[in-house]
Amino acid sequence: MRIFPAPPDARRPVDVCVGIQWGDEGKGRVVDLLAREYGVIARFGGGDNAGHSIEVGATKLALHVVPSGVLVDGTKLLIGAGTVASLRGLANELDMLEKLGVDTSRIAIASRAHVVFPYHATLDRLAEKARGGAAIGTTGRGIGPAYVDRAARNGITFGDLAKPEAVADKVRQALIARAPLFAGADDVPREEDVVGETLALAKRIVPHVVDGVAWLQAAIARGERILAEGAQGTMLDVTFGTYPYVTSSHTVAGGACTGLGIGPTAVGRVLGVAKAYCTRVGGGPFPSELLDETGERLRERGREFGVTTGRPRRCGWYDAVAARYAAQLNGLDGLFITKLDVLAGFERVGIVTGYRRADGSPAGIEAVGEPDLRVEIEELPGWADDIRGVRKIVDLPHAARTLLDRIAALTGVPVLAASVGPERSALAL
Ligand code: GDP
Ligand code: IMO
Ligand code: MG
C-alpha cells in the first residue's frame, strides 16, 4: 500500500506512525495497512493502556501490546524497550493470536522493557481514588506506577525474568518499598503470590525476550525497513500533552528514538494519524468537545467506546490548533485521516480553527485547560452520501474533499489517505 509518495531513504530505515490527538485515532488499522512495506513493526511506548483495533475480513482484533503488523505474514514484531507490559496481559495476547493461527515466534520483546505487575494496577487505582474529583481517568492498568518504578530505578525488566533468584529478590525489595502505599487496599499483594505468578508466566515469555538494540540493528543490516508504532496520542504525551491529564510515556515521534534505541538520523518519515473529528477518553481539557446532541451523535455513529476499558469516549470536532502543535512536535510529513465515513449525514461539520479568551483576545495551545478558553469553529457543509465504498479521494463527495483540504491547510500537513470504514480495504487514496 503506497501511502507515502516519496521513495524510502535507505540511509534512514525507520518510519514512525503516531496519533496526533488524544489516542484512539485508528493507529492500529493504519499500521496494519502500512505493514506490508516494512520488515519490522516495533511498538515504542505505552503498555496495555493502549487498544489497537484491526479488521481484516471477518477477523477483528484488539491488540494491547503486540504491534499492529501481526496480521501481515512475514513481518517481525518488536515490543520495544520503551514499553511496559504485564506478563498476564502479554500471555493472553499471545494465546489469543495463536488461537487465530498466528505464528507468535515472530514476536520479540526487548529485554529493557519493564514488567507491569498486578500491584502496579492496585497502586494506579489507589492513586486515582486519592485524586478524587481531579482523577485523571486512567485505564487502571498500572501504567503510571510502572513508569514511576522505572524512573525511580525500582523496576523489573523483561531481561530480569531469565534470572529467577533476581526476580524473587527484586519483588521482595519492591514490595517492602511500597508497603506504606498499600495502606487501605483490599488486595495487598503477598510476596510469595507475586513471585510464584511471575515465575510461572516468565516461562511463557522468556523465549520471546531479545536484546532489542542488537535485534533492530540486525534487521537494519539485512536491509529491512522498520515501522515504529506509537501508542496513545500526542496530546497525551507526558511532557507535551495536557499535563497532568496525560499518560506516563513519550507518545510523540521522538519517543521512537528513546523507546527503540535508535538515533534521530535513522528516522525517515513521520506519519500522523487523526480522526476527521476528535475524541478523548478520561479526564482533562478537551477544547473542541461537544457536550450537546452533536457530540452524542458522533459517539453513536462512530461507536466511540474504549477498546481497553469500554468507557464512552468524549467527542468533538477536529481541533486544528492542537493538530498544528502536534505537527510541530512530531515533525509530520503526512496525515492519515480516519473515520471520514462517520461524518456522513451531518448537515454541517465543524473544525476548530483558533482559540480565544473570554475577553476576545487570541490564545494558543498553552491556554488549553484554562477556564476562560473559547474555541473558534469554522463550519463546513456536510454530505449525505454513504462513502464507505469510495476508494479514491477524488471520488469522495465535494464536501468531504473540502473537509480534507481544510484539515490539510489548517494543520499545515498534506493528507495522504483517508479511511472510510474499519475494515482494512476501506481506504480512499
Ligand atoms: P487506535 O488506538 O489508534 O489503534 O484506535 P482504536 O482501535 O482504539 O479506535 C479506533 C476505532 O475506530 C476502532 O474501533 C476501529 O475499528 C475504528 N475505525 C478505524 N478506522 C475507521 C474508519 O475509517 N471508519 C470507521 N467507521 N471506523 C474506523
Ligand atoms: P491508544 O494507543 C486513548 C488515557 C487514559 C487517561 C490517560 C492516562 O489505544 O490510543 P493511563 O492508563 O495511560 O495512565 O491513563 O491516558 N489513555 C488513552 N486514551 N487511547 C489510548 O491508547 C490511551 N492510553 C491511555 O484514558 O485519560
Ligand atoms: Mg485505542
Side-chain angles (χ1 to χ4, degrees), residues 379-393:
E379 287 208 330
L380 301 170
W383 63 93
D385 333 22
D386 180 350
I387 57 171
R388 286 176 294 181
V390 176
R391 295 293 174 265
K392 289 189 180 147
I393 287 180

Side-chain angles (χ1 to χ4, degrees), residues 31-360:
V31 167
D32 166 69
L33 267 171
L34 290 171
R36 273 163 285 177
E37 293 179 36
Y38 298 87
V40 171
I41 315 297
R43 255 285 291 274
F44 64 78
D48 62 7
N49 47 350
H52 297 172
S53 332
I54 304 175
E55 274 190 50
V56 183
T59 306
K60 291 187 188 182
L61 282 190
L63 295 165
H64 299 285
V65 286
V66 170
S68 301
V70 72
L71 288 187
V72 177
D73 286 342
T75 53
K76 287 181 276 307
L77 307 144
L78 179 68
I79 301 167
T83 64
V84 294
S86 98
L87 298 179
R88 178 153 308 283
L90 184 53
N92 288 346
E93 208 157 312
L94 294 175
D95 288 347
M96 180 270 290
L97 290 166
E98 282 170 12
K99 277 197 197 112
L100 286 174
V102 170
D103 169 13
T104 56
S105 69
R106 298 184 288 139
I107 301 170
I109 178 153
S111 58
R112 290 173 187 274
H114 276 244
V115 177
V116 181
F117 287 94
Y119 59 75
H120 288 126
T122 304
L123 292 173
D124 194 355
R125 281 194 297 276
L126 289 171
E128 281 285 86
K129 207 167 139 198
R131 287 184 192 109
I136 293 166
T138 71
T139 58
R141 297 298 173 96
I143 304 301
Y147 278 115
V148 165
D149 273 357
R150 184 180 78 164
R153 292 146 296 175
N154 287 321
I156 296 174
T157 66
F158 278 80
D160 290 333
L161 295 178
K163 301 161 244 158
E165 315 74 38
V167 170
D169 251 12
K170 288 190 175 195
V171 166
R172 190 169 310 121
Q173 299 297 340
L175 291 180
I176 291 169
R178 279 157 204 74
L181 298 175
F182 288 112
D186 310 328
D187 45 352
V188 178
R190 286 162 27 118
E191 183 187 314
E192 56 273 34
D193 295 347
V194 179
V195 173
E197 190 189 42
T198 303
L199 294 179
L201 287 165
K203 291 202 182 85
R204 173 101 168 87
I205 304 298
V206 165
H208 294 271
V209 177
V210 299
D211 174 337
V213 175
W215 190 94
L216 268 182
Q217 289 301 325
I220 292 170
R222 286 194 301 271
E224 288 176 13
R225 293 191 63 77
I226 320 291
L227 180 63
E229 175 182 7
Q232 288 80 51
T234 299
M235 300 305 288
L236 289 170
D237 183 89
V238 65
T239 305
F240 298 104
T242 47
Y243 190 90
Y245 295 93
V246 294
T247 190
S248 299
S249 61
H250 299 288
T251 61
V252 294
C257 292
T258 54
L260 295 176
I262 51 166
T265 47
V267 175
R269 300 168 297 192
V270 182
L271 180 69
V273 184
K275 282 176 186 163
Y277 50 98
C278 193
T279 64
R280 167 163 210 174
V281 58
F286 180 11
S288 70
E289 183 168 19
L290 293 163
L291 294 165
D292 55 7
E293 60 193 30
T294 308
E296 190 58 45
R297 206 165 148 209
L298 282 171
R299 179 158 43 249
E300 268 165 33
R301 285 197 45 97
R303 301 216 171 93
E304 294 297 354
F305 297 90
V307 175
T308 297
T309 58
R311 290 178 292 177
R313 295 177 183 146
R314 300 155 65 191
C315 297
W317 295 131
Y318 185 88
D319 182 340
V321 183
R324 271 198 303 275
Y325 174 61
Q328 294 170 341
L329 290 171
N330 292 297
L332 296 185
D333 291 303
L335 272 180
F336 189 118
I337 299 298
T338 62
K339 305 193 90 160
L340 192 59
D341 54 301
V342 171
L343 296 178
F346 281 80
E347 257 167 44
R348 306 193 74 71
V349 174
I351 300 188
V352 167
T353 53
Y355 297 159
R356 287 198 181 272
R357 310 249 177 212
D359 67 5

